[in-house]
Amino acid sequence: MEPATPSWLPEGKTTAFALTIPVDCETVVLAEGRRFAQHPLPMSHQVYEIQRGVPRLLGMLDALGIKATFFVPGWTLERHPQLVEPIVGAGHELAHHSYSHRPPTDMSESEERADFERALEVMAAFGVTPAGHRAAYWSASSRTLDIVAEYGLRYDTSLMGDDSPYLVRRRDRDVVELPCHWILDDFDHYAFLPQPRIGRNVEAPQTAVGIWRAELDGLRRYGGLYQLTCHAFLSGRAGRTLALRGLLEYALSCGDVEFMTCGEAARRALAAPPARPRAGVTETQ
Amino acid sequence: MEPATPSWLPEGKTTAFALTIPVDCETVVLAEGRRFAQHPLPMSHQVYEIQRGVPRLLGMLDALGIKATFFVPGWTLERHPQLVEPIVGAGHELAHHSYSHRPPTDMSESEERADFERALEVMAAFGVTPAGHRAAYWSASSRTLDIVAEYGLRYDTSLMGDDSPYLVRRRDRDVVELPCHWILDDFDHYAFLPQPRIGRNVEAPQTAVGIWRAELDGLRRYGGLYQLTCHAFLSGRAGRTLALRGLLEYALSCGDVEFMTCGEAARRALAAPPARPRAGVTETQ
Amino acid sequence: MEPATPSWLPEGKTTAFALTIPVDCETVVLAEGRRFAQHPLPMSHQVYEIQRGVPRLLGMLDALGIKATFFVPGWTLERHPQLVEPIVGAGHELAHHSYSHRPPTDMSESEERADFERALEVMAAFGVTPAGHRAAYWSASSRTLDIVAEYGLRYDTSLMGDDSPYLVRRRDRDVVELPCHWILDDFDHYAFLPQPRIGRNVEAPQTAVGIWRAELDGLRRYGGLYQLTCHAFLSGRAGRTLALRGLLEYALSCGDVEFMTCGEAARRALAAPPARPRAGVTETQ
Amino acid sequence: MEPATPSWLPEGKTTAFALTIPVDCETVVLAEGRRFAQHPLPMSHQVYEIQRGVPRLLGMLDALGIKATFFVPGWTLERHPQLVEPIVGAGHELAHHSYSHRPPTDMSESEERADFERALEVMAAFGVTPAGHRAAYWSASSRTLDIVAEYGLRYDTSLMGDDSPYLVRRRDRDVVELPCHWILDDFDHYAFLPQPRIGRNVEAPQTAVGIWRAELDGLRRYGGLYQLTCHAFLSGRAGRTLALRGLLEYALSCGDVEFMTCGEAARRALAAPPARPRAGVTETQ
């Protein structure tokens, strides 16, 4: 079977590769309890992201000529404002990732709305108007897509209902959902922190990248969106950065893989929506 | 040692390969709590099965000429009726997998019976009379096999007492047990959902398929039933489908492996029951 | 470095390979709660051991000419008396593994003593006087070795204080401790049962055997006792049996590995106790 | 990109390899509950460290000519005084690792200070003045670095804020932080003890060493400190020692990797502090 070019991709391309980099920083730890601000180990574990992880990943992306999408909570932007220029100045996309990195499913409607707006205000202070949004922990509430539509963002990326982009109609607007998946998240392979209990994952970089490459080759066969999520405090470790670089170089060499930011993927999907194999989409999707 | 053909298999064959595909869909999430209907992430994670997973697997099976057995809860059939035609029309078997996908060990006798009958009714409305049954979560109660026998089904596939089919006498009838096993279930390798907490598995497709192939080669040596369970919301992901395809192509190339539906395996086992190596079967098996 | 022959081994040998096979059968499940006797899935999972696992392993050992040590709880012997003849008749060792397979650390002294004696009585009824003992779950109490010495058994195999046999002085007698270790137990790689929650392990046979081979090669370098524990309900699965066979064939081919039962290992260690690298053994070891 | 020599390393070297060996011994078990002193299994599991693990690792390091840093709690030194001479006499560094191996985050200030001082006293009785400190479980409290500075130690190694050494100013002194990380700790790959529940890790040595080598190659690319933590009760098992030896031999063969004790790494980092890629270090790091 010769894979066809999906409607929303350039001729000859089977797969859009959107590399996304959340910069959750200390929010991951502080969301588990304010007391952890007094625990040097987990705090230093997250600050690594700023000290070493983001610079290292930015350097690698620059060397490879790839533009990524950075999802940075408002809290991180306020705490580490020096992050913005190197990201935006290098042509990467900066997108909405909540203010406090608490899951919307744990918030009331007014809390969620306030948190959403506060993040927009922080971004505006840096001159950034985000094109899209990702819920903290991908834990969108039943209201999240309404809010995304209401504030005029073009896309959301928190759901898993397909492996191609799909349109969700909310408030008389089409929001593009750019689906994600656990497979393509370094958190489930690399996150290790016993207290607070963030994770117990110490997968080999070779194994994680092997899983990611298997999914990339799968999508190249069937066509779709390959959205990889790499946290700078995880994938910014030296051996993991090298392994990720190997995957990116492989993708660049494929010929049928097109790198793009989430913003561009959403623009393309709106202009020429991908076909879905059959109807039956449920209400809550 | 030259492996002999088991009594119940065609001449020259060592192993029956029964590919089974449960289509649990949203029931997996809703059985953990009705409130999750309001959580877009887990709901979209399950709806993927309908949107993409089942069509992709059906396409692959069609390309390879393999007939599978689909275990679809009654609830799924009611919610996604468009599923039936592509499955039955392509010659696959549709079998009984409860109505609500709650484990029988958690139900009273009257609840279990009502759930069992309701599933039969839904299937009848689609013109389907199931030949066999699989308990939700393989969690048969001490009554389940009685009920299966009472309603005249030919086989059950929820137990693990052997790796060849075996007969269980209930209500004066022989029910064929087609044993399953955790090794050959993609759930334990691939299921990942933190809330509700369905699983934390993100095994590499290469590793999962390596385990499955090791067991296939083992059964080819000793003879028996190879029953593989692949959920469409898990194995329907692109890279996993490709890896599964590789396993199926390998099995097709072996020469001594015969693909068959569970219904056919049960018919064969009833006609020429496999020998068991020794007596001592306990009551509860 | 040329590894020397340890004092207790035949000339030219570096490593004693003692394959041990517990036959815990339903006790593993019933020890978690009597109610599970009514759950067909876990009961069938354990009965597999009798139906298929033990016969398959016995057949393989016969083909390779290897004698193993079977640790069978008294309860299992009463429930499945047909087990004894194929094991003992083939020249394997049958050893003491408690009556009820409850951990001694959870029993009072009188309970532990009664359970110990009851197992001896059951074995005596089959004409067997055990040379050694393994605590259920390796969970010896502070009294266990005293009891082993008191009843005149030659060895125990429940502790991990070395990787060569060592003598423990109790009740004016030397009991040989044949140390075990988690690495060399298939339970930690293969045991999977969610209810009762026995384990969540579905390791690839290649991986498990790779770990076992790494440890074997390590002991061949340093010299010592390689005691491998394989449960028939786990390693008796087809693919795992084949993988285990590969390991055994490798060990047979090494030349410096001597297969022996635990009884023989203990006899040798008593006759020519291995040197320990330094003093400092603590009281509780 | 040609990796440059970091300021603090000898010309032509990219990476400092500091092998660290904690000798926690029974403290790991006793910190979970004094009652476990009566459980022979976990106690023997830890005593293995003294009986076999430390001698085996010392022998290997001697053969390779590598000097390591041993972090030994005061309790271990009192209980197993015979440990000191073989370590110090062979030229390895003996460093401060608390008295009781309880995490500082669980202690009051006076408890932490008393525990810290008691360890110093025990070491002094052996004629050892430690140059550096590692918190038990890497769980430094917000006071720990102050105490380290106050007692005049040159370095701490409990945090993860970078993968090069960095200076932390406390009490008007610069303390060198030699950052560690979970990736490079054998505990997370090998620690297995169900009761007390220390861990459930039985990773293949090949896999663990593969992860370690990936990180080493990453640091060789980017330059930094490679601090590997191997417990003698874990990495002193035969197959794991052999695998570790393979990694050390690889590192020795690289040419750009310099082995050194933590003390030497700290001296170098104080003399020519490594550059950090950007500012923004937070208070709590």
Side-chain angles (χ1 to χ4, degrees):
Chain A
M1 184 185 79
E2 199 57 31
T5 294
S7 63
W8 60 292
L9 290 184
E11 185 57 33
K13 303 296 182 181
T14 61
T15 309
F17 192 135
L19 178 62
T20 68
I21 301 178
V23 189
D24 304 335
C25 210
E26 296 100 326
T27 62
V28 171
V29 163
L30 297 177
E32 301 289 319
R34 294 295 309 178
R35 72 184 178 286
F36 292 115
Q38 299 308 315
H39 286 211
L41 177 67
M43 292 304 280
S44 71
H45 185 259
Q46 297 309 116
V47 166
Y48 177 89
E49 185 157 64
I50 306 297
Q51 294 298 338
R52 192 61 71 171
V54 168
R56 184 170 286 158
L57 291 179
L58 282 173
M60 182 191 68
L61 293 175
D62 181 54
L64 298 180
I66 292 172
K67 304 303 177 201
T69 306
F70 286 75
F71 290 93
V72 189
W75 188 94
T76 301
L77 291 172
E78 286 181 346
R79 176 113 174 146
H80 306 289
Q82 77 279 18
L83 271 178
V84 176
E85 199 281 323
I87 292 173
V88 174
H92 301 292
E93 180 183 351
L94 193 65
H96 191 302
H97 194 36
S98 86
Y99 175 78
S100 62
H101 207 260
R102 283 175 300 150
T105 45
D106 287 0
M107 292 195 264
S108 70
E109 175 160 4
S110 61
E111 286 176 318
E112 181 178 359
R113 189 174 289 273
D115 187 271
F116 193 95
E117 289 176 359
R118 191 168 173 190
L120 284 177
E121 288 160 15
V122 174
M123 297 183 83
F126 285 98
V128 175
T129 306
H133 166 266
R134 173 178 289 170
Y137 303 102
W138 293 338
S139 288
S141 78
S142 58
R143 302 169 301 261
T144 302
L145 281 174
D146 289 326
I147 296 175
V148 168
E150 185 181 327
Y151 282 88
L153 277 66
R154 190 185 304 132
Y155 71 88
D156 175 77
T157 168
S158 317
L159 303 181
M160 305 190 174
D162 199 350
D163 40 29
S164 284
Y166 55 98
L167 304 185
V168 182
R169 186 99 191 149
R170 291 297 165 92
R171 311 259 160 147
D172 284 328
R173 302 193 35 187
D174 280 328
V175 174
V176 181
E177 179 61 37
L178 299 175
C180 47
H181 194 256
W182 310 108
I183 301 175
L184 300 179
D185 182 359
D186 65 349
F187 203 94
D188 314 320
H189 304 291
Y190 291 155
F192 190 104
L193 203 57
Q195 201 192 22
R197 194 174 172 84
I198 297 301
R200 306 289 294 195
N201 310 304
V202 276
E203 192 61 272
Q206 309 90 292
T207 305
V209 164
I211 291 172
W212 296 341
R213 181 167 163 167
E215 186 65 8
L216 178 61
D217 287 338
L219 280 171
R220 292 176 60 216
R221 170 68 170 260
Y222 296 111
L225 169 69
Y226 182 83
Q227 187 178 179
L228 183 65
T229 297
C230 290
H231 297 74
F233 73 95
L234 300 172
S235 286
R237 290 278 161 188
R240 294 167 176 170
T241 302
L242 261 198
L244 174 60
R245 184 182 181 124
L247 177 75
L248 298 176
E249 288 171 338
Y250 170 71
L252 284 167
S253 76
C254 285
D256 59 336
V257 176
E258 180 87 357
F259 279 88
M260 60 184 72
T261 61
C262 289
E264 185 185 341
R267 262 193 309 274
R268 289 181 166 279
L270 266 179
R276 302 200 78 176
R278 56 189 57 249
V281 189
T282 62
E283 207 60 51
T284 48
Q285 187 191 25
Chain B
M1 184 184 78
E2 198 58 32
T5 294
S7 64
W8 58 293
L9 290 184
E11 184 57 34
K13 303 296 182 182
T14 60
T15 309
F17 192 136
L19 178 62
T20 68
I21 301 178
V23 190
D24 304 334
C25 210
E26 295 100 327
T27 62
V28 171
V29 163
L30 297 177
E32 302 290 319
R34 296 293 309 176
R35 69 184 179 288
F36 292 115
Q38 300 307 315
H39 285 212
L41 177 67
M43 292 304 279
S44 71
H45 185 259
Q46 297 309 116
V47 166
Y48 177 89
E49 185 157 65
I50 306 298
Q51 293 298 339
R52 193 61 72 169
V54 169
R56 183 171 287 160
L57 290 179
L58 282 172
M60 183 191 66
L61 293 175
D62 181 54
L64 298 180
I66 291 171
K67 303 303 178 201
T69 307
F70 286 75
F71 290 93
V72 189
W75 189 94
T76 301
L77 291 172
E78 286 182 345
R79 175 113 174 148
H80 306 288
Q82 77 279 19
L83 271 178
V84 176
E85 200 282 324
I87 292 172
V88 175
H92 302 291
E93 181 182 351
L94 193 64
H96 191 302
H97 193 37
S98 86
Y99 175 78
S100 62
H101 206 260
R102 282 175 300 149
T105 45
D106 288 358
M107 292 194 265
S108 70
E109 174 159 5
S110 62
E111 285 176 317
E112 180 177 0
R113 189 174 288 275
D115 187 89
F116 193 94
E117 289 177 358
R118 190 168 174 191
L120 285 177
E121 289 160 16
V122 174
M123 298 184 82
F126 285 97
V128 174
T129 306
H133 166 266
R134 171 177 291 171
Y137 301 101
W138 293 339
S139 287
S141 77
S142 57
R143 303 168 300 261
T144 302
L145 281 174
D146 289 326
I147 296 175
V148 168
E150 186 181 327
Y151 283 88
L153 278 65
R154 190 184 305 131
Y155 71 88
D156 174 77
T157 168
S158 318
L159 303 181
M160 304 189 175
D162 200 350
D163 41 28
S164 283
Y166 55 97
L167 304 185
V168 182
R169 188 97 190 149
R170 292 296 165 92
R171 311 261 160 146
D172 283 329
R173 302 193 33 185
D174 280 328
V175 173
V176 181
E177 179 60 37
L178 300 174
C180 47
H181 194 257
W182 310 108
I183 300 174
L184 300 178
D185 181 0
D186 65 350
F187 204 92
D188 314 320
H189 303 290
Y190 291 155
F192 190 104
L193 203 57
Q195 200 191 24
R197 195 175 171 85
I198 297 301
R200 305 289 295 195
N201 310 304
V202 276
E203 191 62 271
Q206 310 90 293
T207 305
V209 164
I211 292 172
W212 297 341
R213 181 166 163 167
E215 186 65 8
L216 177 61
D217 287 337
L219 280 170
R220 292 175 60 216
R221 170 69 170 259
Y222 296 111
L225 169 68
Y226 183 84
Q227 187 179 179
L228 183 66
T229 297
C230 291
H231 297 76
F233 73 96
L234 299 172
S235 286
R237 290 278 160 186
R240 293 165 176 171
T241 303
L242 262 197
L244 174 60
R245 183 182 182 124
L247 178 75
L248 298 175
E249 288 171 339
Y250 169 71
L252 285 167
S253 77
C254 286
D256 59 336
V257 176
E258 181 85 357
F259 280 87
M260 60 184 70
T261 60
C262 288
E264 184 184 342
R267 262 193 309 274
R268 288 181 167 278
L270 266 178
R276 302 201 78 178
R278 55 191 57 252
V281 189
T282 61
E283 206 60 51
T284 49
Q285 185 190 29
Chain C
M1 184 184 79
E2 198 58 31
T5 294
S7 63
W8 59 291
L9 290 184
E11 184 57 33
K13 303 295 182 183
T14 61
T15 309
F17 191 135
L19 178 62
T20 68
I21 301 178
V23 190
D24 304 334
C25 211
E26 295 100 327
T27 61
V28 172
V29 163
L30 297 177
E32 302 289 319
R34 294 295 309 177
R35 69 184 180 288
F36 292 114
Q38 299 307 315
H39 285 212
L41 177 67
M43 292 304 279
S44 70
H45 184 259
Q46 297 310 117
V47 166
Y48 177 89
E49 186 157 64
I50 306 299
Q51 294 298 339
R52 192 61 71 169
V54 169
R56 183 171 287 160
L57 290 179
L58 283 172
M60 182 190 68
L61 293 175
D62 181 54
L64 298 180
I66 292 172
K67 304 303 178 201
T69 307
F70 286 75
F71 290 93
V72 189
W75 189 93
T76 300
L77 290 172
E78 287 182 346
R79 177 112 173 147
H80 306 288
Q82 78 279 18
L83 271 178
V84 175
E85 199 282 322
I87 292 172
V88 175
H92 302 291
E93 180 183 351
L94 193 64
H96 191 302
H97 194 36
S98 86
Y99 176 77
S100 62
H101 206 259
R102 282 175 301 149
T105 46
D106 288 358
M107 292 194 265
S108 69
E109 175 159 3
S110 62
E111 285 175 318
E112 180 177 358
R113 189 174 289 274
D115 187 271
F116 193 94
E117 289 177 358
R118 191 167 174 192
L120 285 176
E121 288 160 16
V122 175
M123 298 183 83
F126 285 98
V128 174
T129 306
H133 166 266
R134 172 177 290 170
Y137 303 101
W138 292 339
S139 288
S141 76
S142 56
R143 302 169 301 260
T144 302
L145 281 175
D146 288 326
I147 297 174
V148 168
E150 184 181 328
Y151 283 88
L153 277 65
R154 190 184 305 132
Y155 71 88
D156 174 77
T157 168
S158 319
L159 303 181
M160 304 189 175
D162 199 351
D163 41 29
S164 283
Y166 55 97
L167 304 185
V168 182
R169 187 98 190 148
R170 293 295 166 93
R171 311 261 160 148
D172 284 329
R173 301 193 34 185
D174 280 329
V175 174
V176 181
E177 179 60 38
L178 300 175
C180 47
H181 194 257
W182 310 108
I183 301 174
L184 300 178
D185 182 358
D186 65 349
F187 203 92
D188 314 319
H189 303 290
Y190 291 155
F192 191 105
L193 203 57
Q195 201 191 23
R197 194 174 173 85
I198 297 301
R200 305 289 294 194
N201 310 303
V202 276
E203 193 61 270
Q206 310 91 292
T207 305
V209 165
I211 292 172
W212 297 341
R213 181 166 164 168
E215 187 65 8
L216 178 60
D217 286 337
L219 281 169
R220 292 175 61 217
R221 170 70 170 259
Y222 296 110
L225 170 68
Y226 183 84
Q227 187 179 179
L228 183 65
T229 297
C230 291
H231 297 75
F233 73 96
L234 299 172
S235 287
R237 291 278 160 186
R240 293 164 176 172
T241 303
L242 261 198
L244 174 60
R245 184 181 183 125
L247 177 76
L248 298 175
E249 287 171 339
Y250 169 71
L252 285 166
S253 77
C254 286
D256 59 337
V257 177
E258 181 85 358
F259 280 87
M260 60 184 71
T261 60
C262 288
E264 185 185 341
R267 263 192 310 272
R268 289 180 166 277
L270 266 179
R276 302 200 78 177
R278 54 191 58 250
V281 189
T282 61
E283 206 61 50
T284 48
Q285 186 191 28
Chain D
M1 185 184 77
E2 199 58 30
T5 294
S7 63
W8 59 292
L9 290 183
E11 185 56 34
K13 302 296 183 182
T14 61
T15 309
F17 192 135
L19 178 62
T20 68
I21 302 179
V23 189
D24 304 335
C25 211
E26 296 100 326
T27 62
V28 172
V29 163
L30 297 177
E32 302 289 318
R34 295 294 310 177
R35 71 185 179 287
F36 292 114
Q38 299 308 314
H39 285 212
L41 177 66
M43 292 304 280
S44 70
H45 185 259
Q46 297 310 116
V47 166
Y48 177 89
E49 185 157 65
I50 305 299
Q51 294 297 340
R52 193 60 72 169
V54 169
R56 184 170 286 158
L57 290 179
L58 282 172
M60 182 191 67
L61 293 175
D62 182 55
L64 298 180
I66 291 172
K67 304 304 178 201
T69 306
F70 286 75
F71 290 93
V72 189
W75 189 95
T76 301
L77 291 172
E78 286 181 347
R79 177 109 173 151
H80 306 289
Q82 78 279 17
L83 270 178
V84 176
E85 199 282 322
I87 292 173
V88 174
H92 302 291
E93 180 183 351
L94 193 65
H96 191 302
H97 194 36
S98 86
Y99 176 78
S100 62
H101 207 260
R102 283 175 299 149
T105 46
D106 287 0
M107 291 195 265
S108 70
E109 175 160 2
S110 61
E111 285 175 319
E112 181 177 359
R113 189 173 289 273
D115 187 271
F116 193 94
E117 289 177 358
R118 191 169 174 190
L120 285 177
E121 288 160 15
V122 174
M123 297 184 83
F126 284 99
V128 174
T129 306
H133 166 267
R134 172 178 289 170
Y137 302 102
W138 293 338
S139 288
S141 77
S142 56
R143 301 168 302 261
T144 302
L145 281 175
D146 288 327
I147 296 174
V148 168
E150 185 182 328
Y151 283 87
L153 276 65
R154 189 183 306 132
Y155 71 88
D156 175 77
T157 168
S158 317
L159 304 182
M160 304 189 175
D162 200 350
D163 40 29
S164 283
Y166 55 98
L167 304 186
V168 182
R169 187 100 190 147
R170 292 295 165 93
R171 311 260 159 148
D172 284 328
R173 301 193 36 186
D174 280 328
V175 174
V176 181
E177 178 61 38
L178 300 175
C180 48
H181 194 257
W182 311 108
I183 301 174
L184 300 179
D185 182 0
D186 66 349
F187 204 93
D188 314 319
H189 303 291
Y190 292 155
F192 191 104
L193 202 58
Q195 202 192 22
R197 194 174 173 83
I198 297 300
R200 306 289 294 195
N201 310 304
V202 275
E203 192 61 271
Q206 310 91 292
T207 305
V209 165
I211 292 172
W212 297 340
R213 181 165 163 168
E215 187 64 9
L216 177 61
D217 287 337
L219 280 170
R220 292 175 60 218
R221 170 69 170 261
Y222 296 111
L225 169 69
Y226 183 84
Q227 186 178 179
L228 183 66
T229 297
C230 290
H231 297 75
F233 73 95
L234 300 172
S235 287
R237 290 279 160 187
R240 294 166 176 172
T241 302
L242 260 198
L244 174 60
R245 184 182 182 123
L247 177 75
L248 297 175
E249 288 171 338
Y250 169 71
L252 285 168
S253 76
C254 285
D256 58 337
V257 177
E258 180 85 357
F259 280 87
M260 60 184 72
T261 61
C262 288
E264 185 186 341
R267 261 192 310 273
R268 289 181 167 278
L270 266 179
R276 301 201 79 177
R278 56 189 58 249
V281 189
T282 62
E283 205 60 51
T284 48
Q285 186 190 27

